[in-house]
Amino acid sequence: MGYNTWNAYRCNINESVVIETADLMKSLGLQDAGYNYINLDDCYSEKTRNAAGDIVANRQRFPSGMNWLTDRIHKLGFKAGIYSDSGWFTCELYPGSYLNEDSDIKLFQDWGFDLLKYDNCAVPYDAVIKEGIIGKYTRMSNAIKNLSIKSGKPPILFSLCQWGRQQPWIWAKRLGQSWRTTGDIEARWHSLTYIMNENSFFAWSSDFYGRNDLDILEVGNGNLTYDEAKSHFTVWALMKSPLLISTHLASASEETLSILTNPEIIAINQDPVVGTSITPFRWGVNPDWTYNRTHPAQYWSGESQNGTVFMLLNTLDHPADMFFSLTESPWVRAGRQYAVRDLWSHTNNGTAVRNFTAHAVPAHGVVALLLTDDGDEPEGTMPPCARPEQCFGEDGTRVPEWFGSDMFPQVPIGL
């Protein structure tokens, strides 16, 4: 969790912007909410290395130097992140780290940085690099590990920015702590649904060893409605993506801050006991396992240390009721009732038995619930099984799937 300069400032960064942002992160309560990194993105350096072959901080925009900057960030109680690229150049054609991995990571450590975001632009010709995407990122991963051994310091956190084209959710866990899964985010609903849809198919790969990175948060930027911003933050948080703000905090609204600091949503993202993401249990608008960039899966569930998490995402352009059976989630026990906690209204909403309906979920809106076991369901709840397929009594009688009232007798097995 933290701040990244790219979406808000692009290349218009300098030491004053970075320190002002860190001050605002503290004064606006974002640090207290758990945001503890201040990360520089592209464009902080000179266009060329110095005579010794080192990256040089831009003299006009960072005249006090990077050690001064990281000292200030650390004194405010944050960690500091830096950016580089696995190719010849960064995406904005500043010096990349290819063939300079060992010296660059030592420089970043000497500058006082704690995290490296590592991009995928300006890839060398095949005849030069002679390795695939995994090997290209392995070079920096090995440099980080070797530096930690030599220096006796903890390894710099390694965040791979590979854009998902070669399935980093499968291999990147060997190399770093997070990996980008899709292209760059934009502050519009269809960009969010594209990312949600893509990640629905590999949400399983996030755990404590590393996280799918759905890209920087656009909450408070541009064209998102309040409900869309809530959906954006909820999906990112409950899917255990890194949460990196990139908005102009000096003009951040109370609505924006209330979304970014929701303690009950952040608690799921930062759960110290359960590291796995929520996953879809039903697609809703579309048949299950449907790939749809504009209408991703709507019904999601997962574990947490305090109960079962449910997320209902209304991808329609109008309000809708959203219904599900509790045991559609694999994390809910049959024959039990569940207390319902709404993670956005921060209210306890009674007890759910078998089913739950969220009424009039806003267009592009979200419902986030935490369900906790509240004992046996009431005696006599019918039908005998919430999910009637293969529902049997001890005497071998099967309850048919259409069983719903006393007018339908049980049918012995085999009939």
Side-chain angles (χ1 to χ4, degrees):
M1 294 177 67
Y3 190 94
N4 181 284
T5 58
W6 182 249
N7 286 23
Y9 295 100
R10 302 285 171 166
C11 284
N12 298 315
I13 55 171
N14 57 56
E15 61 187 38
S16 297
V17 163
V18 174
I19 295 305
E20 178 188 8
T21 298
D23 286 336
L24 286 167
M25 290 283 285
K26 195 175 185 75
S27 64
L28 293 174
L30 292 160
Q31 185 183 60
D32 289 340
Y35 296 90
N36 61 346
Y37 278 89
I38 305 294
N39 298 340
L40 277 68
D41 212 279
D42 208 346
C43 310
Y44 61 84
S45 73
E46 296 287 345
K47 284 283 190 176
T48 58
R49 294 173 178 266
N50 65 16
D54 291 329
I55 294 173
V56 179
N58 185 279
R59 295 175 180 85
Q60 283 71 46
R61 290 184 278 117
F62 294 91
S64 303
M66 288 302 180
N67 289 105
W68 176 88
L69 185 72
T70 58
D71 284 348
R72 291 287 300 274
I73 290 172
H74 290 148
K75 285 177 182 176
L76 287 168
F78 295 100
K79 296 180 180 180
I82 192 69
Y83 169 95
S84 191
D85 192 282
S86 56
W88 296 119
F89 304 99
T90 70
C91 297
E92 295 298 316
L93 298 181
Y94 290 81
S97 289
Y98 180 65
L99 297 182
N100 291 281
E101 291 86 0
D102 290 314
S103 58
D104 283 359
I105 199 63
K106 184 177 187 308
L107 176 67
F108 299 149
Q109 185 185 77
D110 290 344
W111 277 350
F113 287 101
D114 309 288
L115 174 148
L116 173 64
K117 175 183 173 181
Y118 206 51
D119 220 332
N120 188 38
C121 289
V123 179
Y125 292 153
D126 292 353
V128 174
I129 194 167
K130 294 182 180 177
E131 59 190 350
I133 196 77
I134 298 175
K136 188 159 70 87
Y137 280 99
T138 299
R139 296 173 66 93
M140 181 55 83
S141 179
N142 287 341
I144 291 172
K145 286 185 283 190
N146 292 337
L147 178 63
S148 179
I149 292 169
K150 290 177 183 176
S151 67
K153 297 179 180 179
I156 287 177
L157 196 70
F158 191 29
S159 177
L160 289 71
C161 188
Q162 198 278 321
W163 319 331
R165 294 173 186 168
Q166 296 198 5
Q167 301 180 312
W169 50 90
I170 294 174
W171 53 264
K173 65 188 72 174
R174 308 175 191 174
L175 307 179
Q177 288 71 50
S178 67
W179 43 85
R180 277 280 296 282
T181 55
T182 52
D184 290 352
I185 193 172
E186 299 176 22
R188 56 190 183 92
W189 178 245
H190 288 321
S191 176
L192 302 185
T193 59
Y194 155 69
I195 294 172
M196 295 170 189
N197 175 65
E198 293 281 339
N199 281 270
S200 67
F201 296 98
F202 39 79
W204 50 266
S205 66
S206 282
D207 209 331
F208 287 124
Y209 49 68
R211 302 290 173 87
N212 289 328
D213 180 355
L214 281 61
D215 202 10
I216 299 166
L217 292 168
E218 284 285 2
V219 176
N221 281 348
N223 302 317
L224 299 180
T225 68
Y226 174 64
D227 288 310
E228 290 170 347
K230 281 176 59 179
S231 295
H232 173 22
F233 186 73
T234 304
V235 173
W236 266 236
L238 301 191
M239 290 188 75
K240 304 297 181 79
S241 175
L243 301 178
L244 295 171
I245 301 166
S246 190
T247 190
H248 291 88
L249 291 176
S251 58
S253 68
E254 288 299 319
E255 281 188 347
T256 293
L257 294 173
S258 70
I259 292 171
L260 292 172
T261 59
N262 183 327
E264 296 189 72
I265 298 292
I266 290 173
I268 305 299
N269 181 264
Q270 297 290 301
D271 193 323
V273 176
V274 178
T276 51
S277 164
I278 60 169
T279 54
F281 62 83
R282 176 155 47 94
W283 259 245
V285 168
N286 303 297
D288 290 349
W289 303 106
T290 298
Y291 183 97
N292 190 315
R293 291 174 61 121
T294 59
H295 292 84
Q298 294 184 283
Y299 294 85
W300 303 63
S301 183
E303 297 178 280
S304 83
Q305 65 172 321
N306 295 316
T308 302
V309 181
F310 284 87
M311 182 181 76
L312 314 179
L313 181 69
N314 181 12
T315 64
L316 302 174
D317 297 331
H318 54 79
D321 292 348
M322 300 189 71
F323 167 89
F324 65 94
S325 297
L326 303 191
T327 53
E328 287 185 81
S329 165
W331 313 114
V332 165
R333 296 169 60 192
R336 309 287 285 180
Q337 59 186 348
Y338 282 80
V340 179
R341 174 74 176 177
D342 188 310
L343 302 181
W344 277 107
S345 68
H346 308 297
T347 55
N348 296 320
N349 292 1
T351 302
V353 179
R354 296 279 177 98
N355 306 311
F356 184 89
T357 301
H359 296 283
V361 181
H364 304 172
V366 72
V367 173
L369 306 171
L370 184 67
L371 269 61
T372 53
D373 192 302
D374 200 32
D376 288 336
E377 66 183 19
E379 273 191 55
T381 301
M382 297 298 283
C385 299
R387 304 188 65 75
E389 61 269 21
Q390 292 296 314
C391 181
F392 282 80
E394 285 184 86
D395 59 358
T397 56
R398 177 179 180 179
V399 177
E401 295 187 18
W402 39 262
F403 180 91
S405 70
D406 292 339
M407 64 182 291
F408 296 123
Q410 293 184 336
V411 180
I413 188 170
L415 296 182

